[in-house]
Amino acid sequence: MIEFLKGRVHSTDRGYLVLESNGIGYIVNMVERELHTFYEKEEVFINIRLVLREDAAILYGFRHIETRDAFDLLTSVTGIGPKLAMGILDGDDVINIAKYIVSKDEKSLTKLPGVGKKTAQRIILELKDKVEKLDLDLNSMTDDIEIIEEKDDSAVEALISLGYNVYDAKNALDKVDPSLDISERIREALKLMG
């Protein structure tokens, strides 16, 4: 198995980067939010998960070990493969996903890419007791679960329907004046996400 790779970023593309290490170019699939933090020719250290299939050996890479640990937990859930796990991790921050699981927040989980009600229920059932493995401060998390107002919830859903992920939608709406009506909030959030 491969634990990590050290090398130079040769190039990046949608969903993966090519890492040059000891004269070999490795295609490493990555979460888009982490992928955007790399630049060409940068020397990097990437935490790796190697997934072997009958027809391929696929590398999944993570800048932060917590993201890789979350990937490991998600892929341990019945019916969640590596691609779906990457989509989920691309949909929101690891700490927020852990919050949803700990607080049994099905509604927020179903807003993540590829997660329906049954999958959300399975994630909560199978991972609630394992989330401690992520090495996150769960005590502060459970006290700090964010309650989304109804108008924010609708605005987030509208932005998701336009193709944005939960994480970006919530971040943009946090920067918008909460006194505006929902359509104005969505318009302002769209300007911020450009």
PDB file of all heavy atoms in Angstrom, residues 1-7 17 19 21 26-30 34 38 44-51 57-65 67-69 71-72:
ATOM      1  N   MET A   1       0.842  -1.204   0.000  1.00  0.00           N
ATOM      2  CA  MET A   1       0.000   0.000   0.000  1.00  0.00           C
ATOM      3  C   MET A   1       0.879   1.257   0.000  1.00  0.00           C
ATOM      4  O   MET A   1       2.018   1.214   0.427  1.00  0.00           O
ATOM      5  CB  MET A   1      -0.895   0.016   1.241  1.00  0.00           C
ATOM      6  CG  MET A   1      -1.972  -1.068   1.247  1.00  0.00           C
ATOM      7  SD  MET A   1      -3.151  -0.935  -0.104  1.00  0.00           S
ATOM      8  CE  MET A   1      -4.259   0.294   0.521  1.00  0.00           C
ATOM      9  N   ILE A   2       0.303   2.345  -0.451  1.00  0.00           N
ATOM     10  CA  ILE A   2       1.014   3.632  -0.473  1.00  0.00           C
ATOM     11  C   ILE A   2       0.390   4.527   0.586  1.00  0.00           C
ATOM     12  O   ILE A   2      -0.818   4.762   0.577  1.00  0.00           O
ATOM     13  CB  ILE A   2       0.916   4.289  -1.864  1.00  0.00           C
ATOM     14  CG1 ILE A   2       1.519   3.373  -2.935  1.00  0.00           C
ATOM     15  CG2 ILE A   2       1.594   5.649  -1.862  1.00  0.00           C
ATOM     16  CD1 ILE A   2       1.274   3.848  -4.345  1.00  0.00           C
ATOM     17  N   GLU A   3       1.189   5.029   1.507  1.00  0.00           N
ATOM     18  CA  GLU A   3       0.710   5.893   2.588  1.00  0.00           C
ATOM     19  C   GLU A   3       0.704   7.358   2.156  1.00  0.00           C
ATOM     20  O   GLU A   3      -0.213   8.106   2.462  1.00  0.00           O
ATOM     21  CB  GLU A   3       1.590   5.705   3.827  1.00  0.00           C
ATOM     22  CG  GLU A   3       1.210   6.543   5.016  1.00  0.00           C
ATOM     23  CD  GLU A   3      -0.100   6.109   5.671  1.00  0.00           C
ATOM     24  OE1 GLU A   3      -0.620   5.027   5.368  1.00  0.00           O
ATOM     25  OE2 GLU A   3      -0.610   6.895   6.487  1.00  0.00           O
ATOM     26  N   PHE A   4       1.761   7.780   1.458  1.00  0.00           N
ATOM     27  CA  PHE A   4       1.844   9.162   1.001  1.00  0.00           C
ATOM     28  C   PHE A   4       2.773   9.237  -0.200  1.00  0.00           C
ATOM     29  O   PHE A   4       3.548   8.316  -0.472  1.00  0.00           O
ATOM     30  CB  PHE A   4       2.337  10.099   2.115  1.00  0.00           C
ATOM     31  CG  PHE A   4       3.739   9.813   2.573  1.00  0.00           C
ATOM     32  CD1 PHE A   4       4.831  10.356   1.915  1.00  0.00           C
ATOM     33  CD2 PHE A   4       3.967   9.005   3.685  1.00  0.00           C
ATOM     34  CE1 PHE A   4       6.130  10.086   2.338  1.00  0.00           C
ATOM     35  CE2 PHE A   4       5.255   8.728   4.115  1.00  0.00           C
ATOM     36  CZ  PHE A   4       6.340   9.276   3.442  1.00  0.00           C
ATOM     37  N   LEU A   5       2.696  10.363  -0.909  1.00  0.00           N
ATOM     38  CA  LEU A   5       3.624  10.657  -1.996  1.00  0.00           C
ATOM     39  C   LEU A   5       4.175  12.061  -1.784  1.00  0.00           C
ATOM     40  O   LEU A   5       3.443  12.968  -1.394  1.00  0.00           O
ATOM     41  CB  LEU A   5       2.923  10.593  -3.359  1.00  0.00           C
ATOM     42  CG  LEU A   5       2.584   9.206  -3.902  1.00  0.00           C
ATOM     43  CD1 LEU A   5       1.712   9.324  -5.144  1.00  0.00           C
ATOM     44  CD2 LEU A   5       3.846   8.416  -4.226  1.00  0.00           C
ATOM     45  N   LYS A   6       5.466  12.199  -2.030  1.00  0.00           N
ATOM     46  CA  LYS A   6       6.110  13.514  -1.991  1.00  0.00           C
ATOM     47  C   LYS A   6       6.633  13.785  -3.387  1.00  0.00           C
ATOM     48  O   LYS A   6       7.202  12.896  -4.020  1.00  0.00           O
ATOM     49  CB  LYS A   6       7.289  13.509  -1.011  1.00  0.00           C
ATOM     50  CG  LYS A   6       6.944  14.003   0.361  1.00  0.00           C
ATOM     51  CD  LYS A   6       8.066  13.803   1.330  1.00  0.00           C
ATOM     52  CE  LYS A   6       9.227  14.748   1.098  1.00  0.00           C
ATOM     53  NZ  LYS A   6      10.231  14.653   2.178  1.00  0.00           N
ATOM     54  N   GLY A   7       6.429  14.986  -3.864  1.00  0.00           N
ATOM     55  CA  GLY A   7       6.942  15.309  -5.187  1.00  0.00           C
ATOM     56  C   GLY A   7       6.536  16.703  -5.608  1.00  0.00           C
ATOM     57  O   GLY A   7       6.158  17.535  -4.781  1.00  0.00           O
ATOM     58  N   LEU A  17      -4.700  15.729  -9.970  1.00  0.00           N
ATOM     59  CA  LEU A  17      -3.440  16.371 -10.317  1.00  0.00           C
ATOM     60  C   LEU A  17      -2.461  15.293 -10.753  1.00  0.00           C
ATOM     61  O   LEU A  17      -2.637  14.119 -10.460  1.00  0.00           O
ATOM     62  CB  LEU A  17      -2.879  17.210  -9.161  1.00  0.00           C
ATOM     63  CG  LEU A  17      -2.467  16.578  -7.837  1.00  0.00           C
ATOM     64  CD1 LEU A  17      -1.138  15.845  -7.940  1.00  0.00           C
ATOM     65  CD2 LEU A  17      -2.321  17.672  -6.789  1.00  0.00           C
ATOM     66  N   LEU A  19       1.255  14.251 -10.179  1.00  0.00           N
ATOM     67  CA  LEU A  19       2.359  14.477  -9.259  1.00  0.00           C
ATOM     68  C   LEU A  19       3.602  13.791  -9.801  1.00  0.00           C
ATOM     69  O   LEU A  19       3.593  12.586 -10.056  1.00  0.00           O
ATOM     70  CB  LEU A  19       2.014  13.907  -7.882  1.00  0.00           C
ATOM     71  CG  LEU A  19       3.091  14.120  -6.815  1.00  0.00           C
ATOM     72  CD1 LEU A  19       3.066  15.552  -6.318  1.00  0.00           C
ATOM     73  CD2 LEU A  19       2.890  13.163  -5.662  1.00  0.00           C
ATOM     74  N   SER A  21       7.109  12.346  -9.150  1.00  0.00           N
ATOM     75  CA  SER A  21       7.932  11.887  -8.039  1.00  0.00           C
ATOM     76  C   SER A  21       8.932  10.871  -8.564  1.00  0.00           C
ATOM     77  O   SER A  21       8.537   9.856  -9.156  1.00  0.00           O
ATOM     78  CB  SER A  21       7.033  11.253  -6.956  1.00  0.00           C
ATOM     79  OG  SER A  21       7.796  10.831  -5.858  1.00  0.00           O
ATOM     80  N   TYR A  26       2.324  10.508 -11.380  1.00  0.00           N
ATOM     81  CA  TYR A  26       1.188   9.795 -10.789  1.00  0.00           C
ATOM     82  C   TYR A  26      -0.079  10.626 -10.949  1.00  0.00           C
ATOM     83  O   TYR A  26      -0.085  11.816 -10.606  1.00  0.00           O
ATOM     84  CB  TYR A  26       1.409   9.551  -9.284  1.00  0.00           C
ATOM     85  CG  TYR A  26       2.568   8.645  -8.974  1.00  0.00           C
ATOM     86  CD1 TYR A  26       3.836   9.170  -8.712  1.00  0.00           C
ATOM     87  CD2 TYR A  26       2.399   7.260  -8.927  1.00  0.00           C
ATOM     88  CE1 TYR A  26       4.902   8.338  -8.417  1.00  0.00           C
ATOM     89  CE2 TYR A  26       3.470   6.418  -8.632  1.00  0.00           C
ATOM     90  CZ  TYR A  26       4.712   6.967  -8.385  1.00  0.00           C
ATOM     91  OH  TYR A  26       5.770   6.142  -8.089  1.00  0.00           O
ATOM     92  N   ILE A  27      -1.156  10.014 -11.448  1.00  0.00           N
ATOM     93  CA  ILE A  27      -2.456  10.685 -11.478  1.00  0.00           C
ATOM     94  C   ILE A  27      -3.095  10.456 -10.108  1.00  0.00           C
ATOM     95  O   ILE A  27      -3.303   9.318  -9.692  1.00  0.00           O
ATOM     96  CB  ILE A  27      -3.363  10.119 -12.590  1.00  0.00           C
ATOM     97  CG1 ILE A  27      -2.774  10.466 -13.956  1.00  0.00           C
ATOM     98  CG2 ILE A  27      -4.781  10.675 -12.461  1.00  0.00           C
ATOM     99  CD1 ILE A  27      -3.520   9.850 -15.117  1.00  0.00           C
ATOM    100  N   VAL A  28      -3.363  11.558  -9.419  1.00  0.00           N
ATOM    101  CA  VAL A  28      -3.922  11.484  -8.066  1.00  0.00           C
ATOM    102  C   VAL A  28      -5.280  12.196  -8.057  1.00  0.00           C
ATOM    103  O   VAL A  28      -5.353  13.403  -8.276  1.00  0.00           O
ATOM    104  CB  VAL A  28      -2.975  12.142  -7.035  1.00  0.00           C
ATOM    105  CG1 VAL A  28      -3.545  12.007  -5.627  1.00  0.00           C
ATOM    106  CG2 VAL A  28      -1.573  11.535  -7.105  1.00  0.00           C
ATOM    107  N   ASN A  29      -6.345  11.428  -7.856  1.00  0.00           N
ATOM    108  CA  ASN A  29      -7.689  12.002  -7.768  1.00  0.00           C
ATOM    109  C   ASN A  29      -7.824  12.752  -6.449  1.00  0.00           C
ATOM    110  O   ASN A  29      -7.420  12.231  -5.405  1.00  0.00           O
ATOM    111  CB  ASN A  29      -8.744  10.893  -7.829  1.00  0.00           C
ATOM    112  CG  ASN A  29      -8.742  10.202  -9.173  1.00  0.00           C
ATOM    113  OD1 ASN A  29      -9.287  10.711 -10.124  1.00  0.00           O
ATOM    114  ND2 ASN A  29      -8.089   9.048  -9.252  1.00  0.00           N
ATOM    115  N   MET A  30      -8.400  13.959  -6.524  1.00  0.00           N
ATOM    116  CA  MET A  30      -8.496  14.778  -5.327  1.00  0.00           C
ATOM    117  C   MET A  30      -9.828  15.494  -5.237  1.00  0.00           C
ATOM    118  O   MET A  30     -10.504  15.712  -6.242  1.00  0.00           O
ATOM    119  CB  MET A  30      -7.364  15.816  -5.298  1.00  0.00           C
ATOM    120  CG  MET A  30      -5.989  15.191  -5.239  1.00  0.00           C
ATOM    121  SD  MET A  30      -4.721  16.350  -4.721  1.00  0.00           S
ATOM    122  CE  MET A  30      -5.133  16.567  -3.007  1.00  0.00           C
ATOM    123  N   GLU A  34      -9.620  20.897  -2.177  1.00  0.00           N
ATOM    124  CA  GLU A  34      -8.199  20.787  -1.854  1.00  0.00           C
ATOM    125  C   GLU A  34      -7.343  20.994  -3.098  1.00  0.00           C
ATOM    126  O   GLU A  34      -6.271  21.585  -3.031  1.00  0.00           O
ATOM    127  CB  GLU A  34      -7.890  19.422  -1.232  1.00  0.00           C
ATOM    128  CG  GLU A  34      -8.372  19.288   0.187  1.00  0.00           C
ATOM    129  CD  GLU A  34      -7.851  18.040   0.897  1.00  0.00           C
ATOM    130  OE1 GLU A  34      -7.316  17.123   0.252  1.00  0.00           O
ATOM    131  OE2 GLU A  34      -7.968  17.997   2.124  1.00  0.00           O
ATOM    132  N   PHE A  38      -3.346  23.839  -4.706  1.00  0.00           N
ATOM    133  CA  PHE A  38      -2.034  23.487  -5.269  1.00  0.00           C
ATOM    134  C   PHE A  38      -1.712  24.370  -6.470  1.00  0.00           C
ATOM    135  O   PHE A  38      -2.609  24.840  -7.162  1.00  0.00           O
ATOM    136  CB  PHE A  38      -2.021  22.019  -5.733  1.00  0.00           C
ATOM    137  CG  PHE A  38      -2.132  21.021  -4.622  1.00  0.00           C
ATOM    138  CD1 PHE A  38      -3.349  20.425  -4.313  1.00  0.00           C
ATOM    139  CD2 PHE A  38      -1.022  20.667  -3.877  1.00  0.00           C
ATOM    140  CE1 PHE A  38      -3.456  19.504  -3.297  1.00  0.00           C
ATOM    141  CE2 PHE A  38      -1.116  19.738  -2.850  1.00  0.00           C
ATOM    142  CZ  PHE A  38      -2.342  19.162  -2.560  1.00  0.00           C
ATOM    143  N   VAL A  44       5.085  19.109  -2.838  1.00  0.00           N
ATOM    144  CA  VAL A  44       3.959  18.780  -1.973  1.00  0.00           C
ATOM    145  C   VAL A  44       4.111  17.411  -1.317  1.00  0.00           C
ATOM    146  O   VAL A  44       4.871  16.554  -1.780  1.00  0.00           O
ATOM    147  CB  VAL A  44       2.613  18.814  -2.751  1.00  0.00           C
ATOM    148  CG1 VAL A  44       2.281  20.206  -3.207  1.00  0.00           C
ATOM    149  CG2 VAL A  44       2.625  17.832  -3.909  1.00  0.00           C
ATOM    150  N   PHE A  45       3.350  17.232  -0.247  1.00  0.00           N
ATOM    151  CA  PHE A  45       3.227  15.970   0.470  1.00  0.00           C
ATOM    152  C   PHE A  45       1.738  15.642   0.444  1.00  0.00           C
ATOM    153  O   PHE A  45       0.922  16.422   0.925  1.00  0.00           O
ATOM    154  CB  PHE A  45       3.713  16.164   1.911  1.00  0.00           C
ATOM    155  CG  PHE A  45       3.563  14.943   2.781  1.00  0.00           C
ATOM    156  CD1 PHE A  45       4.655  14.123   3.030  1.00  0.00           C
ATOM    157  CD2 PHE A  45       2.338  14.613   3.360  1.00  0.00           C
ATOM    158  CE1 PHE A  45       4.531  13.003   3.849  1.00  0.00           C
ATOM    159  CE2 PHE A  45       2.211  13.497   4.174  1.00  0.00           C
ATOM    160  CZ  PHE A  45       3.312  12.691   4.416  1.00  0.00           C
ATOM    161  N   ILE A  46       1.369  14.504  -0.153  1.00  0.00           N
ATOM    162  CA  ILE A  46      -0.040  14.149  -0.295  1.00  0.00           C
ATOM    163  C   ILE A  46      -0.309  12.813   0.391  1.00  0.00           C
ATOM    164  O   ILE A  46       0.363  11.819   0.107  1.00  0.00           O
ATOM    165  CB  ILE A  46      -0.447  14.072  -1.782  1.00  0.00           C
ATOM    166  CG1 ILE A  46      -0.184  15.408  -2.473  1.00  0.00           C
ATOM    167  CG2 ILE A  46      -1.918  13.686  -1.925  1.00  0.00           C
ATOM    168  CD1 ILE A  46      -0.460  15.397  -3.964  1.00  0.00           C
ATOM    169  N   ASN A  47      -1.288  12.801   1.289  1.00  0.00           N
ATOM    170  CA  ASN A  47      -1.736  11.559   1.923  1.00  0.00           C
ATOM    171  C   ASN A  47      -2.516  10.766   0.879  1.00  0.00           C
ATOM    172  O   ASN A  47      -3.346  11.318   0.163  1.00  0.00           O
ATOM    173  CB  ASN A  47      -2.643  11.874   3.116  1.00  0.00           C
ATOM    174  CG  ASN A  47      -1.908  12.670   4.175  1.00  0.00           C
ATOM    175  OD1 ASN A  47      -1.082  12.129   4.890  1.00  0.00           O
ATOM    176  ND2 ASN A  47      -2.186  13.967   4.253  1.00  0.00           N
ATOM    177  N   ILE A  48      -2.246   9.481   0.799  1.00  0.00           N
ATOM    178  CA  ILE A  48      -2.771   8.670  -0.310  1.00  0.00           C
ATOM    179  C   ILE A  48      -3.621   7.510   0.190  1.00  0.00           C
ATOM    180  O   ILE A  48      -3.354   6.925   1.233  1.00  0.00           O
ATOM    181  CB  ILE A  48      -1.591   8.098  -1.147  1.00  0.00           C
ATOM    182  CG1 ILE A  48      -0.825   9.226  -1.841  1.00  0.00           C
ATOM    183  CG2 ILE A  48      -2.052   7.043  -2.137  1.00  0.00           C
ATOM    184  CD1 ILE A  48      -1.539   9.903  -2.974  1.00  0.00           C
ATOM    185  N   ARG A  49      -4.627   7.170  -0.620  1.00  0.00           N
ATOM    186  CA  ARG A  49      -5.337   5.900  -0.498  1.00  0.00           C
ATOM    187  C   ARG A  49      -5.302   5.263  -1.882  1.00  0.00           C
ATOM    188  O   ARG A  49      -5.714   5.887  -2.859  1.00  0.00           O
ATOM    189  CB  ARG A  49      -6.798   6.066  -0.067  1.00  0.00           C
ATOM    190  CG  ARG A  49      -6.997   6.039   1.407  1.00  0.00           C
ATOM    191  CD  ARG A  49      -6.550   4.733   2.062  1.00  0.00           C
ATOM    192  NE  ARG A  49      -6.519   4.822   3.496  1.00  0.00           N
ATOM    193  CZ  ARG A  49      -5.417   4.934   4.224  1.00  0.00           C
ATOM    194  NH1 ARG A  49      -4.233   5.002   3.663  1.00  0.00           N
ATOM    195  NH2 ARG A  49      -5.481   4.978   5.534  1.00  0.00           N
ATOM    196  N   LEU A  50      -4.793   4.043  -1.952  1.00  0.00           N
ATOM    197  CA  LEU A  50      -4.742   3.279  -3.197  1.00  0.00           C
ATOM    198  C   LEU A  50      -5.948   2.350  -3.212  1.00  0.00           C
ATOM    199  O   LEU A  50      -6.144   1.570  -2.282  1.00  0.00           O
ATOM    200  CB  LEU A  50      -3.443   2.471  -3.276  1.00  0.00           C
ATOM    201  CG  LEU A  50      -3.335   1.464  -4.416  1.00  0.00           C
ATOM    202  CD1 LEU A  50      -3.345   2.157  -5.768  1.00  0.00           C
ATOM    203  CD2 LEU A  50      -2.064   0.627  -4.255  1.00  0.00           C
ATOM    204  N   VAL A  51      -6.763   2.463  -4.263  1.00  0.00           N
ATOM    205  CA  VAL A  51      -7.934   1.597  -4.403  1.00  0.00           C
ATOM    206  C   VAL A  51      -7.696   0.688  -5.602  1.00  0.00           C
ATOM    207  O   VAL A  51      -7.492   1.160  -6.726  1.00  0.00           O
ATOM    208  CB  VAL A  51      -9.233   2.427  -4.595  1.00  0.00           C
ATOM    209  CG1 VAL A  51     -10.423   1.517  -4.859  1.00  0.00           C
ATOM    210  CG2 VAL A  51      -9.483   3.300  -3.363  1.00  0.00           C
ATOM    211  N   ALA A  57      -5.753   0.503 -10.866  1.00  0.00           N
ATOM    212  CA  ALA A  57      -5.250   0.883  -9.541  1.00  0.00           C
ATOM    213  C   ALA A  57      -5.382   2.405  -9.478  1.00  0.00           C
ATOM    214  O   ALA A  57      -4.768   3.117 -10.277  1.00  0.00           O
ATOM    215  CB  ALA A  57      -3.802   0.458  -9.368  1.00  0.00           C
ATOM    216  N   ILE A  58      -6.231   2.900  -8.571  1.00  0.00           N
ATOM    217  CA  ILE A  58      -6.560   4.327  -8.549  1.00  0.00           C
ATOM    218  C   ILE A  58      -6.033   4.957  -7.266  1.00  0.00           C
ATOM    219  O   ILE A  58      -6.254   4.445  -6.168  1.00  0.00           O
ATOM    220  CB  ILE A  58      -8.088   4.532  -8.648  1.00  0.00           C
ATOM    221  CG1 ILE A  58      -8.612   3.860  -9.922  1.00  0.00           C
ATOM    222  CG2 ILE A  58      -8.443   6.012  -8.642  1.00  0.00           C
ATOM    223  CD1 ILE A  58     -10.116   3.732  -9.984  1.00  0.00           C
ATOM    224  N   LEU A  59      -5.340   6.091  -7.430  1.00  0.00           N
ATOM    225  CA  LEU A  59      -4.819   6.835  -6.284  1.00  0.00           C
ATOM    226  C   LEU A  59      -5.777   7.968  -5.934  1.00  0.00           C
ATOM    227  O   LEU A  59      -6.166   8.750  -6.798  1.00  0.00           O
ATOM    228  CB  LEU A  59      -3.444   7.435  -6.613  1.00  0.00           C
ATOM    229  CG  LEU A  59      -2.294   6.460  -6.867  1.00  0.00           C
ATOM    230  CD1 LEU A  59      -1.062   7.217  -7.329  1.00  0.00           C
ATOM    231  CD2 LEU A  59      -1.990   5.657  -5.613  1.00  0.00           C
ATOM    232  N   TYR A  60      -6.141   8.042  -4.653  1.00  0.00           N
ATOM    233  CA  TYR A  60      -6.916   9.168  -4.140  1.00  0.00           C
ATOM    234  C   TYR A  60      -6.011   9.903  -3.170  1.00  0.00           C
ATOM    235  O   TYR A  60      -5.405   9.293  -2.290  1.00  0.00           O
ATOM    236  CB  TYR A  60      -8.184   8.669  -3.430  1.00  0.00           C
ATOM    237  CG  TYR A  60      -9.179   8.059  -4.402  1.00  0.00           C
ATOM    238  CD1 TYR A  60      -9.182   6.692  -4.651  1.00  0.00           C
ATOM    239  CD2 TYR A  60     -10.088   8.861  -5.093  1.00  0.00           C
ATOM    240  CE1 TYR A  60     -10.073   6.133  -5.557  1.00  0.00           C
ATOM    241  CE2 TYR A  60     -10.986   8.308  -6.004  1.00  0.00           C
ATOM    242  CZ  TYR A  60     -10.969   6.952  -6.227  1.00  0.00           C
ATOM    243  OH  TYR A  60     -11.843   6.395  -7.129  1.00  0.00           O
ATOM    244  N   GLY A  61      -5.905  11.208  -3.358  1.00  0.00           N
ATOM    245  CA  GLY A  61      -4.983  11.991  -2.550  1.00  0.00           C
ATOM    246  C   GLY A  61      -5.687  13.052  -1.724  1.00  0.00           C
ATOM    247  O   GLY A  61      -6.744  13.562  -2.103  1.00  0.00           O
ATOM    248  N   PHE A  62      -5.066  13.383  -0.583  1.00  0.00           N
ATOM    249  CA  PHE A  62      -5.661  14.325   0.358  1.00  0.00           C
ATOM    250  C   PHE A  62      -4.567  15.191   0.961  1.00  0.00           C
ATOM    251  O   PHE A  62      -3.581  14.677   1.482  1.00  0.00           O
ATOM    252  CB  PHE A  62      -6.395  13.558   1.471  1.00  0.00           C
ATOM    253  CG  PHE A  62      -7.347  12.523   0.920  1.00  0.00           C
ATOM    254  CD1 PHE A  62      -6.916  11.219   0.720  1.00  0.00           C
ATOM    255  CD2 PHE A  62      -8.632  12.874   0.568  1.00  0.00           C
ATOM    256  CE1 PHE A  62      -7.772  10.264   0.190  1.00  0.00           C
ATOM    257  CE2 PHE A  62      -9.496  11.923   0.035  1.00  0.00           C
ATOM    258  CZ  PHE A  62      -9.066  10.619  -0.161  1.00  0.00           C
ATOM    259  N   ARG A  63      -4.754  16.482   0.897  1.00  0.00           N
ATOM    260  CA  ARG A  63      -3.783  17.400   1.492  1.00  0.00           C
ATOM    261  C   ARG A  63      -3.781  17.221   3.014  1.00  0.00           C
ATOM    262  O   ARG A  63      -2.736  17.258   3.637  1.00  0.00           O
ATOM    263  CB  ARG A  63      -4.118  18.841   1.120  1.00  0.00           C
ATOM    264  CG  ARG A  63      -3.204  19.845   1.808  1.00  0.00           C
ATOM    265  CD  ARG A  63      -3.138  21.145   1.069  1.00  0.00           C
ATOM    266  NE  ARG A  63      -1.819  21.236   0.445  1.00  0.00           N
ATOM    267  CZ  ARG A  63      -1.417  22.204  -0.336  1.00  0.00           C
ATOM    268  NH1 ARG A  63      -2.222  23.159  -0.674  1.00  0.00           N
ATOM    269  NH2 ARG A  63      -0.202  22.218  -0.822  1.00  0.00           N
ATOM    270  N   HIS A  64      -4.959  17.022   3.594  1.00  0.00           N
ATOM    271  CA  HIS A  64      -5.085  16.915   5.053  1.00  0.00           C
ATOM    272  C   HIS A  64      -5.439  15.486   5.450  1.00  0.00           C
ATOM    273  O   HIS A  64      -6.312  14.870   4.848  1.00  0.00           O
ATOM    274  CB  HIS A  64      -6.151  17.882   5.570  1.00  0.00           C
ATOM    275  CG  HIS A  64      -5.911  19.288   5.135  1.00  0.00           C
ATOM    276  ND1 HIS A  64      -4.896  20.060   5.640  1.00  0.00           N
ATOM    277  CD2 HIS A  64      -6.533  20.055   4.211  1.00  0.00           C
ATOM    278  CE1 HIS A  64      -4.902  21.242   5.061  1.00  0.00           C
ATOM    279  NE2 HIS A  64      -5.878  21.264   4.183  1.00  0.00           N
ATOM    280  N   ILE A  65      -4.775  14.988   6.466  1.00  0.00           N
ATOM    281  CA  ILE A  65      -5.005  13.605   6.898  1.00  0.00           C
ATOM    282  C   ILE A  65      -6.429  13.396   7.394  1.00  0.00           C
ATOM    283  O   ILE A  65      -7.006  12.318   7.230  1.00  0.00           O
ATOM    284  CB  ILE A  65      -3.953  13.168   7.954  1.00  0.00           C
ATOM    285  CG1 ILE A  65      -3.948  11.648   8.094  1.00  0.00           C
ATOM    286  CG2 ILE A  65      -4.200  13.802   9.299  1.00  0.00           C
ATOM    287  CD1 ILE A  65      -2.601  11.031   8.063  1.00  0.00           C
ATOM    288  N   THR A  67      -9.082  14.595   6.092  1.00  0.00           N
ATOM    289  CA  THR A  67      -9.917  14.333   4.916  1.00  0.00           C
ATOM    290  C   THR A  67      -9.756  12.880   4.484  1.00  0.00           C
ATOM    291  O   THR A  67     -10.731  12.214   4.126  1.00  0.00           O
ATOM    292  CB  THR A  67      -9.551  15.289   3.756  1.00  0.00           C
ATOM    293  OG1 THR A  67      -9.441  16.624   4.257  1.00  0.00           O
ATOM    294  CG2 THR A  67     -10.603  15.258   2.670  1.00  0.00           C
ATOM    295  N   ARG A  68      -8.520  12.372   4.549  1.00  0.00           N
ATOM    296  CA  ARG A  68      -8.309  10.962   4.191  1.00  0.00           C
ATOM    297  C   ARG A  68      -9.006  10.044   5.194  1.00  0.00           C
ATOM    298  O   ARG A  68      -9.616   9.042   4.819  1.00  0.00           O
ATOM    299  CB  ARG A  68      -6.822  10.614   4.130  1.00  0.00           C
ATOM    300  CG  ARG A  68      -6.614   9.184   3.601  1.00  0.00           C
ATOM    301  CD  ARG A  68      -5.184   8.758   3.611  1.00  0.00           C
ATOM    302  NE  ARG A  68      -4.713   8.594   4.974  1.00  0.00           N
ATOM    303  CZ  ARG A  68      -3.446   8.334   5.281  1.00  0.00           C
ATOM    304  NH1 ARG A  68      -2.537   8.229   4.333  1.00  0.00           N
ATOM    305  NH2 ARG A  68      -3.083   8.199   6.539  1.00  0.00           N
ATOM    306  N   ASP A  69      -8.948  10.382   6.479  1.00  0.00           N
ATOM    307  CA  ASP A  69      -9.633   9.573   7.492  1.00  0.00           C
ATOM    308  C   ASP A  69     -11.141   9.570   7.251  1.00  0.00           C
ATOM    309  O   ASP A  69     -11.807   8.542   7.402  1.00  0.00           O
ATOM    310  CB  ASP A  69      -9.335  10.106   8.900  1.00  0.00           C
ATOM    311  CG  ASP A  69      -7.865   9.898   9.297  1.00  0.00           C
ATOM    312  OD1 ASP A  69      -7.176   9.097   8.627  1.00  0.00           O
ATOM    313  OD2 ASP A  69      -7.419  10.545  10.254  1.00  0.00           O
ATOM    314  N   PHE A  71     -12.564   9.971   4.334  1.00  0.00           N
ATOM    315  CA  PHE A  71     -12.728   9.130   3.137  1.00  0.00           C
ATOM    316  C   PHE A  71     -12.781   7.655   3.535  1.00  0.00           C
ATOM    317  O   PHE A  71     -13.648   6.904   3.080  1.00  0.00           O
ATOM    318  CB  PHE A  71     -11.563   9.396   2.175  1.00  0.00           C
ATOM    319  CG  PHE A  71     -11.520   8.501   0.964  1.00  0.00           C
ATOM    320  CD1 PHE A  71     -12.280   8.791  -0.162  1.00  0.00           C
ATOM    321  CD2 PHE A  71     -10.696   7.382   0.939  1.00  0.00           C
ATOM    322  CE1 PHE A  71     -12.229   7.969  -1.290  1.00  0.00           C
ATOM    323  CE2 PHE A  71     -10.638   6.557  -0.175  1.00  0.00           C
ATOM    324  CZ  PHE A  71     -11.406   6.855  -1.291  1.00  0.00           C
ATOM    325  N   ASP A  72     -11.853   7.253   4.413  1.00  0.00           N
ATOM    326  CA  ASP A  72     -11.818   5.859   4.878  1.00  0.00           C
ATOM    327  C   ASP A  72     -13.124   5.478   5.568  1.00  0.00           C
ATOM    328  O   ASP A  72     -13.664   4.387   5.345  1.00  0.00           O
ATOM    329  CB  ASP A  72     -10.648   5.634   5.852  1.00  0.00           C
ATOM    330  CG  ASP A  72      -9.292   5.701   5.169  1.00  0.00           C
ATOM    331  OD1 ASP A  72      -9.230   5.589   3.922  1.00  0.00           O
ATOM    332  OD2 ASP A  72      -8.289   5.868   5.887  1.00  0.00           O
TER     333      ASP A  72
END
